[in-house]
Amino acid sequence: MKIKTRLTINFLILVITIMLFFSGSVYLFYLRHRHEDFSIRLKNKAINTATLLISVKGINPQLMKIIDDKTVTNMNDVTVIILNNKKSVLYSNRDSADIAELLPQFQKLDWNKHTRIFEDNKLYLSLENDYHGQKYYILASASDVYGQSELNKLLVIIIVVFILSAILIVFAGYFNAKQSLVPIKEIIRQVDNIKANNLSSRLAVKNKDEIAELSDNFNKMLERIENAFETERMFVSNVSHELRTPLTSIIGQIEVSLLNPRNDEEYKMLLLSILDDVKNMKTIINGFLDLAETGIEPNNHKFNILRTDELIFSVKDEIIKRKPNYEIYIDFENLPEDEDEVSINGNERLLRILFLNLIDNACKFSDQHKVSIKIGYDSFFVTLRFLDNGIGIPKDELNLIFQPLYRASNTTGKGGHGIGLSIVKRIADIHQARIDINSALNIGTSVTIKFPNEKCH
């Protein structure tokens, strides 16, 4: 069943239920009002008859019966019986046979109180009155034919209005469902136009409602999918491009060595050259694997509370073992009294990759192979600054250095593949960290990263 049909049916059921309740309430309240009104009129009729008969001189039962017969009323089959305190009949506008027929119904009433019952669309009532210190019982009955006719007319009106309203409700419900689904149909149309070759397209978010929230979440999903596609495309394209050079070099060297016999020294030199190319390939592959890993959703990485100072010192020891010529200096800009002040919530493996890349870049592009790392903190952030006195980065290229495989124009002759800083940026984003770079040519570069401290989580 389509949503439009389901919405129409639900709307129809809801409104018809309300209309049934409303119509039933109107009918029942009017029915009660008619009963109350008829009861009052019959009671007043009976009391007036008793008052005239007992209190007015010159009116006897025969004259009273004539008056009753000539009185115009909208009550049918009116019966009035007046009895004395011994329950002997003083007056009745009906003959004895009619009284005998009505007596079983009157006996159901408490004559000492004002009581009433409705049976077969007929009202029976009794009441007790005092006239001149004497107790009298008054019994009365009548049929409310006029009231019943009015009730029937009201019922017909309610049924007709209900049927017509139900028809209108069907059309109104269909129109309402159709209009409500217009934004969803527009989303379906836009989604249908999004293919693998235009994943950069986004759904238009016009209002601030649940549909807009759905569109916004879908756009976020598209962004994640686009990033995943881009990571895969870049990985395949760039790996094939970057690996082609060392592979071509290795194949060329092997082919040349096979052309003529070589001595041991020449073979050794060849193997060392091939080893350098293989190491280069390993570096490239590891870099792309790290870059691919940083494209994974943050929720899929395991985060722990880590002390940045301990992690930096650990990374320093790891780098020095591999490259003893690097000089790495670590200082605190303000000494922490509590370890939580320099602790962050992060993934240890990714942060190691980030620090390794920043330290390696700083040392690699500095003639002294030296980097200074400053650790600071405040109420909200743990700040790490990586300072070097290297070749610097051209000012107009600072906004491009985080792109994968981009290398500054002044890095010719320096090792690297332009992967490190793109990895750093992605890891910083995963950790909701802010990264800023200031650089001056032939003076040096300062990379500042601000991590939300552990207290902010």
Side-chain angles (χ1 to χ4, degrees), residues 289-334:
L289 289 176
D290 290 340
L291 189 61
E293 184 176 355
T294 59
I296 299 174
E297 281 295 302
N299 293 335
N300 294 330
H301 293 290
K302 184 178 179 181
F303 279 58
N304 296 303
I305 303 301
L306 304 169
R307 285 192 57 171
T308 53
D309 54 342
E310 292 180 350
L311 192 56
I312 285 286
F313 279 105
S314 175
V315 171
K316 173 187 174 180
D317 294 338
E318 181 180 340
I319 292 178
I320 294 299
K321 288 180 182 178
R322 291 186 297 171
K323 298 182 179 179
N325 60 323
Y326 280 7
E327 297 181 32
I328 304 171
Y329 301 94
I330 302 173
D331 294 315
F332 285 93
E333 293 186 331
N334 47 348

XYZ file of all heavy atoms in Angstrom, residues 289-334:
389
model
N 47.986 3.448 2.246
C 47.168 2.674 3.188
C 46.756 3.540 4.385
O 45.617 3.471 4.851
C 47.943 1.441 3.661
C 48.129 0.333 2.626
C 49.001 -0.785 3.192
C 46.763 -0.237 2.207
N 47.701 4.363 4.863
C 47.359 5.291 5.959
C 46.312 6.293 5.502
O 45.378 6.626 6.246
C 48.613 6.033 6.438
C 49.580 5.126 7.174
O 49.138 4.054 7.638
O 50.778 5.472 7.273
N 46.459 6.772 4.265
C 45.495 7.741 3.731
C 44.117 7.100 3.604
O 43.093 7.722 3.925
C 45.974 8.245 2.370
C 45.190 9.414 1.762
C 45.267 10.635 2.669
C 45.717 9.743 0.379
N 44.067 5.857 3.153
C 42.787 5.156 3.039
C 42.161 4.929 4.407
O 40.945 5.055 4.588
C 42.987 3.821 2.322
N 43.005 4.620 5.413
C 42.484 4.384 6.757
C 41.865 5.644 7.342
O 40.878 5.587 8.070
C 43.600 3.874 7.666
C 43.106 3.505 9.058
C 44.210 2.909 9.919
O 45.318 2.713 9.399
O 43.954 2.662 11.109
N 42.419 6.801 7.015
C 41.867 8.048 7.557
C 40.538 8.395 6.910
O 39.827 9.280 7.405
C 42.842 9.225 7.336
O 43.080 9.379 5.930
C 44.144 8.984 8.055
N 40.181 7.710 5.827
C 38.882 7.955 5.207
C 37.766 7.164 5.858
O 36.603 7.333 5.522
N 38.114 6.297 6.804
C 37.099 5.510 7.515
C 36.324 6.427 8.455
O 36.854 7.374 9.012
C 37.768 4.362 8.308
C 38.509 3.434 7.348
C 36.755 3.585 9.116
C 39.318 2.360 8.049
N 35.026 6.137 8.646
C 34.189 6.947 9.530
C 34.785 7.003 10.941
O 35.274 5.982 11.461
C 32.782 6.351 9.620
C 31.911 6.670 8.420
C 31.638 8.157 8.313
O 31.104 8.740 9.255
O 32.001 8.739 7.275
N 34.744 8.187 11.587
C 35.306 8.329 12.940
C 34.734 7.331 13.926
O 35.439 6.863 14.830
C 34.929 9.769 13.322
C 34.789 10.477 12.017
C 34.261 9.459 11.052
N 33.445 6.979 13.772
C 32.820 6.057 14.715
C 33.418 4.655 14.640
O 33.214 3.847 15.546
C 31.307 5.985 14.462
C 30.609 7.294 14.796
O 31.106 8.069 15.606
N 29.456 7.529 14.186
N 34.115 4.376 13.535
C 34.709 3.043 13.381
C 36.110 2.953 13.978
O 36.729 1.896 13.935
C 34.749 2.654 11.903
C 33.357 2.481 11.326
O 32.438 2.107 12.040
N 33.196 2.768 10.041
N 36.619 4.061 14.491
C 37.923 4.064 15.155
C 37.729 4.001 16.666
O 36.815 4.617 17.208
C 38.704 5.341 14.791
C 39.113 5.412 13.349
N 40.077 4.605 12.805
C 38.677 6.213 12.334
C 40.229 4.909 11.519
N 39.387 5.875 11.210
N 38.596 3.259 17.308
C 38.515 3.141 18.765
C 39.246 4.312 19.414
O 40.416 4.548 19.149
C 39.139 1.815 19.213
C 39.005 1.574 20.709
C 39.608 0.228 21.095
C 39.493 -0.014 22.601
N 40.096 -1.305 22.998
N 38.558 5.041 20.260
C 39.130 6.206 20.918
C 39.375 5.903 22.395
O 38.576 5.224 23.055
C 38.180 7.405 20.798
C 38.277 8.119 19.481
C 38.059 7.442 18.284
C 38.593 9.464 19.417
C 38.146 8.084 17.067
C 38.690 10.125 18.202
C 38.468 9.438 17.023
N 40.488 6.426 22.900
C 40.840 6.286 24.314
C 41.377 7.627 24.820
O 41.735 8.509 24.039
C 41.913 5.204 24.516
C 41.423 3.827 24.114
O 40.418 3.350 24.618
N 42.133 3.196 23.182
N 41.463 7.754 26.138
C 42.066 8.939 26.734
C 43.591 8.775 26.673
O 44.140 7.810 27.201
C 41.605 9.133 28.190
C 40.070 9.218 28.250
C 42.227 10.392 28.773
C 39.506 10.348 27.414
N 44.256 9.718 26.005
C 45.701 9.621 25.782
C 46.392 10.896 26.247
O 45.863 11.999 26.062
C 45.996 9.414 24.292
C 45.326 8.210 23.605
C 45.511 8.312 22.098
C 45.908 6.908 24.126
N 47.561 10.746 26.816
C 48.374 11.906 27.175
C 49.238 12.277 25.976
O 50.049 11.469 25.494
C 49.246 11.587 28.391
C 48.473 11.566 29.699
C 49.402 11.549 30.888
N 50.327 12.683 30.904
C 51.118 12.983 31.928
N 51.098 12.215 33.013
N 51.928 14.019 31.865
N 49.086 13.501 25.508
C 49.809 13.926 24.305
C 51.313 13.957 24.528
O 52.094 13.623 23.624
C 49.320 15.312 23.859
O 49.407 16.216 24.970
C 47.878 15.253 23.368
N 51.761 14.349 25.737
C 53.203 14.432 25.977
C 53.853 13.056 25.911
O 54.909 12.867 25.294
C 53.490 15.118 27.317
C 52.767 14.455 28.478
O 51.790 13.704 28.231
O 53.176 14.670 29.640
N 53.203 12.059 26.521
C 53.759 10.704 26.494
C 53.792 10.165 25.069
O 54.760 9.505 24.656
C 52.925 9.778 27.386
C 53.029 10.106 28.874
C 52.195 9.157 29.714
O 51.403 8.382 29.128
O 52.327 9.204 30.954
N 52.737 10.454 24.302
C 52.682 9.961 22.931
C 53.751 10.629 22.064
O 54.412 9.966 21.241
C 51.283 10.228 22.350
C 50.942 9.535 21.038
C 51.112 8.026 21.155
C 49.520 9.863 20.619
N 53.972 11.927 22.237
C 54.992 12.641 21.475
C 56.386 12.091 21.780
O 57.209 11.854 20.880
C 54.946 14.152 21.791
C 53.752 14.793 21.092
C 56.224 14.847 21.353
C 53.909 14.956 19.601
N 56.697 11.868 23.067
C 58.001 11.319 23.440
C 58.185 9.915 22.862
O 59.290 9.546 22.430
C 58.162 11.290 24.960
C 58.556 12.611 25.541
C 57.643 13.390 26.224
C 59.858 13.090 25.409
C 58.004 14.615 26.768
C 60.233 14.311 25.948
C 59.310 15.089 26.629
N 57.098 9.125 22.849
C 57.181 7.773 22.289
C 57.453 7.830 20.789
O 58.283 7.064 20.261
C 55.869 7.020 22.564
O 55.878 5.763 21.927
N 56.788 8.739 20.080
C 57.012 8.888 18.640
C 58.437 9.380 18.371
O 59.097 8.936 17.415
C 55.974 9.873 18.039
C 56.332 10.213 16.586
C 54.572 9.269 18.110
N 58.928 10.279 19.220
C 60.305 10.762 19.082
C 61.292 9.599 19.145
O 62.202 9.492 18.290
C 60.607 11.770 20.180
C 62.077 12.204 20.217
C 62.375 13.064 21.425
C 63.880 13.365 21.527
N 64.191 14.201 22.704
N 61.152 8.735 20.141
C 62.055 7.587 20.275
C 61.990 6.684 19.047
O 63.021 6.177 18.577
C 61.689 6.778 21.525
C 61.930 7.563 22.807
O 62.733 8.521 22.768
O 61.312 7.232 23.841
N 60.794 6.502 18.515
C 60.621 5.642 17.336
C 61.338 6.232 16.117
O 62.013 5.501 15.364
C 59.121 5.484 17.052
C 58.813 4.588 15.868
C 57.315 4.456 15.629
O 56.523 4.723 16.576
O 56.946 4.105 14.488
N 61.231 7.546 15.938
C 61.861 8.186 14.776
C 63.388 8.190 14.908
O 64.113 7.931 13.940
C 61.325 9.627 14.611
C 59.860 9.595 14.202
C 62.135 10.397 13.568
C 59.228 10.956 14.061
N 63.876 8.477 16.110
C 65.329 8.534 16.320
C 65.989 7.183 16.026
O 67.120 7.117 15.517
C 65.654 8.988 17.756
C 65.204 10.441 17.966
C 67.128 8.847 18.065
C 65.885 11.433 17.050
N 65.289 6.091 16.335
C 65.843 4.770 16.051
C 66.044 4.575 14.553
O 67.008 3.936 14.116
C 64.910 3.681 16.596
C 64.919 3.564 18.111
C 63.971 2.468 18.569
C 63.943 2.365 20.095
N 62.978 1.328 20.555
N 65.109 5.108 13.768
C 65.187 4.933 12.313
C 66.071 5.982 11.647
O 66.750 5.696 10.663
C 63.780 4.977 11.698
C 62.908 3.769 12.067
C 61.592 3.801 11.305
N 60.802 4.988 11.658
C 59.700 5.361 11.032
N 59.281 4.654 9.988
N 59.038 6.426 11.419
N 66.048 7.190 12.197
C 66.810 8.290 11.587
C 67.554 9.038 12.694
O 67.095 10.070 13.195
C 65.870 9.222 10.821
C 65.151 8.506 9.676
C 64.262 9.430 8.876
C 63.602 8.680 7.738
N 62.701 9.540 6.928
N 68.718 8.530 13.073
C 69.473 9.114 14.194
C 69.934 10.541 13.936
O 70.263 11.266 14.888
C 70.681 8.165 14.335
C 70.274 6.903 13.632
C 69.359 7.326 12.543
N 69.956 10.955 12.678
C 70.436 12.311 12.375
C 69.371 13.390 12.635
O 69.642 14.581 12.542
C 70.895 12.395 10.921
C 69.770 12.069 9.949
O 68.951 11.202 10.221
N 69.740 12.762 8.818
N 68.143 12.965 12.961
C 67.082 13.938 13.251
C 67.259 14.490 14.668
O 67.611 13.747 15.601
C 65.707 13.292 13.144
C 65.189 13.147 11.722
C 65.991 13.442 10.621
C 63.883 12.726 11.481
C 65.504 13.313 9.330
C 63.392 12.597 10.198
C 64.204 12.883 9.121
O 63.736 12.752 7.838
N 67.035 15.795 14.808
C 67.075 16.438 16.121
C 65.650 16.873 16.493
O 65.042 17.707 15.806
C 68.000 17.655 16.099
C 69.454 17.310 15.799
C 70.338 18.538 15.802
O 70.032 19.478 16.570
O 71.313 18.576 15.023
N 65.143 16.315 17.563
C 63.761 16.578 17.982
C 63.780 17.116 19.414
O 64.254 16.438 20.339
C 62.908 15.293 17.899
C 62.969 14.712 16.477
C 61.463 15.572 18.304
C 62.342 13.334 16.344
N 63.281 18.333 19.593
C 63.250 18.969 20.913
C 61.788 19.169 21.340
O 60.967 19.688 20.566
C 63.978 20.314 20.890
C 65.422 20.208 20.467
C 65.791 20.400 19.130
C 66.405 19.880 21.390
C 67.110 20.294 18.738
C 67.739 19.766 21.002
C 68.092 19.965 19.672
O 69.394 19.841 19.293
N 61.489 18.757 22.551
C 60.113 18.845 23.065
C 60.119 19.704 24.332
O 60.895 19.441 25.265
C 59.542 17.444 23.381
C 59.579 16.555 22.120
C 58.118 17.539 23.911
C 59.204 15.110 22.362
N 59.274 20.731 24.361
C 59.175 21.623 25.521
C 57.697 21.851 25.864
O 56.811 21.755 24.998
C 59.822 22.982 25.231
C 61.327 22.864 25.030
O 61.956 22.168 25.833
O 61.837 23.451 24.044
N 57.475 22.188 27.138
C 56.135 22.576 27.587
C 56.052 24.104 27.630
O 56.907 24.762 28.232
C 55.842 22.004 28.984
C 55.544 20.530 28.981
C 56.554 19.599 29.182
C 54.251 20.076 28.771
C 56.288 18.244 29.180
C 53.968 18.715 28.769
C 54.985 17.798 28.977
N 55.017 24.637 27.024
C 54.799 26.079 27.111
C 54.260 26.467 28.482
O 54.501 27.559 28.966
C 53.839 26.536 26.005
C 54.448 26.398 24.610
C 53.552 26.975 23.541
O 52.313 26.968 23.728
O 54.081 27.461 22.518
N 53.487 25.593 29.102
C 53.059 25.741 30.494
C 52.935 24.343 31.093
O 52.334 23.455 30.502
C 51.738 26.513 30.611
C 50.675 26.005 29.636
O 50.963 25.247 28.736
N 49.446 26.430 29.846
